[in-house]
């Protein structure tokens, strides 16, 4: 049996003096996707943030490939676009690439925007784009070379997308699974048809 990409044991977390979850275990292997479900306020987003190292106030163990969490081995895309409206679509992606040490990546950025249906929008300030287009800029990170990491954490990745956008993101997720990556995601919409997909509830089942 291959080593889990994500291995969580006995996780407990509070927020605002309220226990969100306790004794939470989760194990995701290569080429596996898990849809995290639960009622509003159950802690789905908080769990993703704990894994990403953005919410360190928890008890328990979180390991990526047998070691403590390391940002370069995962990609986190939140339910908000997380982009600068003053920057162009291309500059927003260049900023993410710069953080990862990439340089001279214009062709890579253009290819990623093309993949998400934003051909010709490279230099358009994001504040001039629709909500759906801004969401596509954020999701274009999934088409960058830096997305070839062991684990994707996606919080409501289908928000503000039309039917074509839903198919697009589902395709990007399927490609990552085919490449051996693992995905943990939340969504209030019907889960896409993905190989190796399972569902895990957090909190009381709705």
């Amino acid at each position: 049996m291959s080593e889990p990409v994500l291995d969580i044991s006995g996780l407990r977390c509070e927020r605002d003096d309220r226990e969100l979850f306790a004794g939470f275990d989760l194990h995701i292997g290569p080429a596996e996707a898990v849809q995290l479900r639960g009622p509003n306020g159950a802690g789905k987003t908080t769990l993703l943030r704990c894994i990403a190292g953005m919410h360190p106030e928890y008890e328990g163990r979180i390991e990526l490939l047998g070691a403590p969490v390391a940002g370069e081995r995962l990609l986190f895309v939140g339910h908000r676009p997380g982009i600068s409206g003053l920057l162009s679509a291309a500059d927003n992606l260049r900023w993410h690439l710069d953080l990862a040490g990439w340089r001279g990546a214009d062709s890579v950025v253009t290819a990623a925007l093309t993949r998400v249906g934003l051909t010709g929008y490279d230099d358009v300030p994001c504040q001039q784009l629709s909500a759906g287009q801004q969401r596509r800029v954020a999701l274009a990170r999934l088409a960058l070379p830096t997305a070839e990491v062991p684990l994707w954490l996606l919080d409501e990745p289908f928000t503000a997308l039309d039917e074509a956008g839903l198919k697009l993101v589902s395709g990007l997720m399927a490609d990552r699974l085919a490449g051996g990556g693992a995905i943990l995601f939340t969504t209030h919409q019907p889960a896409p048809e993905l190989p190796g997909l399972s569902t895990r509830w957090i909190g009381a089942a709705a």
Side-chain angles (χ1 to χ4, degrees), residues 89-160:
D91 282 340
N92 269 281
L93 296 187
R94 290 190 189 101
W95 182 80
H96 287 290
L97 289 171
D98 286 345
L99 287 179
W102 279 72
R103 297 294 184 271
D106 287 349
S107 61
V108 169
V109 167
T110 298
L113 290 173
T114 297
R115 178 71 190 275
V116 298
L118 291 177
T119 301
Y121 287 88
D122 302 49
D123 299 322
V124 177
C126 285
Q127 62 188 2
Q128 297 180 16
L129 301 177
S130 69
Q133 289 172 325
Q134 290 183 25
R135 187 63 180 161
R136 286 179 182 239
V137 173
L139 292 168
R141 294 173 57 195
L142 304 180
L144 293 173
T146 48
E148 295 295 316
V149 291
L151 177 65
W152 282 6
L153 302 173
L154 309 180
D155 195 9
E156 297 292 342
F158 305 110
T159 297

Side-chain angles (χ1 to χ4, degrees), residues 34-197:
V34 174
Q35 178 190 14
L36 188 65
R37 300 191 63 188
N40 290 336
K44 299 184 296 296
T45 296
T46 300
L47 175 61
L48 296 187
R49 291 174 62 86
C50 287
I51 299 169
M54 301 167 64
H55 188 89
E57 293 82 21
Y58 65 83
E59 300 172 7
R61 178 173 59 86
I62 301 175
E63 291 186 348
L64 293 178
L65 297 174
V69 174
E72 68 272 11
R73 290 185 292 176
L74 60 80
L75 174 63
F76 177 84
V77 178
H79 66 278
R80 296 178 180 176
I83 58 176
S84 170
L86 297 177
L87 294 179
S88 69
D91 282 340
N92 269 281
L93 296 187
R94 290 190 189 101
W95 182 80
H96 287 290
L97 289 171
D98 286 345
L99 287 179
W102 279 72
R103 297 294 184 271
D106 287 349
S107 61
V108 169
V109 167
T110 298
L113 290 173
T114 297
R115 178 71 190 275
V116 298
L118 291 177
T119 301
Y121 287 88
D122 302 49
D123 299 322
V124 177
C126 285
Q127 62 188 2
Q128 297 180 16
L129 301 177
S130 69
Q133 289 172 325
Q134 290 183 25
R135 187 63 180 161
R136 286 179 182 239
V137 173
L139 292 168
R141 294 173 57 195
L142 304 180
L144 293 173
T146 48
E148 295 295 316
V149 291
L151 177 65
W152 282 6
L153 302 173
L154 309 180
D155 195 9
E156 297 292 342
F158 305 110
T159 297
L161 294 178
D162 55 18
E163 184 176 352
L166 298 178
K167 291 180 179 179
L168 168 70
V169 176
S170 297
L172 288 166
M173 294 170 71
D175 288 349
R176 184 78 282 264
L177 293 173
I183 302 174
L184 177 62
F185 69 101
T186 69
T187 180
H188 286 93
Q189 301 179 4
E193 294 184 4
L194 295 170
L197 175 64

